[in-house]
Amino acid sequence: QRRVQGGGGGVGMSCEETEGKGGPEWAEDGQVSMCMHCLKGFTVINRRHHCRCCGRLFCDGCSRWRCKIPRLGYTTSPVRVCAFCCKDSEELGLTELTGTVKIV
């Protein structure tokens, strides 16, 4: 689990807003009870996942995309990103984006 504290970008900032700030500060698991996109509550079955780009918490359905994020050190294997970061992937410089749903 990657967590940047102190000079990090801050929870709730977009991936683009964390540029040059050491990466996102991850939302605390215990502080978020529902997906930050679709608002479905987290349960034993509907698990929470951190977007590696912005640090916010999402359900699997809202964070099903994978990409490399070279500026955050994710250069070898694609990592989980949310619908918001996926949508902005070209502007954010994310590479090798994969997933089962295309956002238009």
Side-chain angles (χ1 to χ4, degrees):
Q1 177 171 330
R2 183 176 190 274
R3 174 178 276 148
V4 177
Q5 298 211 13
V11 175
M13 297 181 95
S14 70
C15 192
E16 187 174 34
E17 291 171 317
T18 63
E19 183 78 43
K21 295 185 168 113
E25 183 176 334
W26 281 22
E28 293 288 334
D29 286 349
Q31 299 294 325
V32 181
S33 61
M34 63 183 72
C35 175
M36 298 175 105
H37 185 236
C38 72
L39 305 179
K40 288 181 185 171
F42 294 125
T43 66
V44 175
I45 296 169
N46 187 37
R47 300 189 53 163
R48 65 190 83 214
H49 303 280
H50 283 92
C51 171
R52 301 316 193 268
C53 196
C54 68
R56 290 178 270 189
L57 282 164
F58 300 93
C59 66
D60 184 61
C62 294
S63 63
R64 65 177 62 239
W65 298 271
R66 305 288 184 277
C67 65
K68 294 180 183 178
I69 313 171
R71 66 182 183 80
L72 294 179
Y74 299 112
T75 57
T76 308
S77 299
V79 293
R80 182 181 295 270
V81 294
C82 68
F84 300 116
C85 292
C86 175
K87 184 177 179 199
D88 296 333
S89 62
E90 255 184 59
E91 295 113 53
L92 296 173
L94 308 182
T95 61
E96 293 188 30
L97 187 67
T98 61
T100 58
V101 177
K102 182 176 179 171
I103 296 177
V104 280

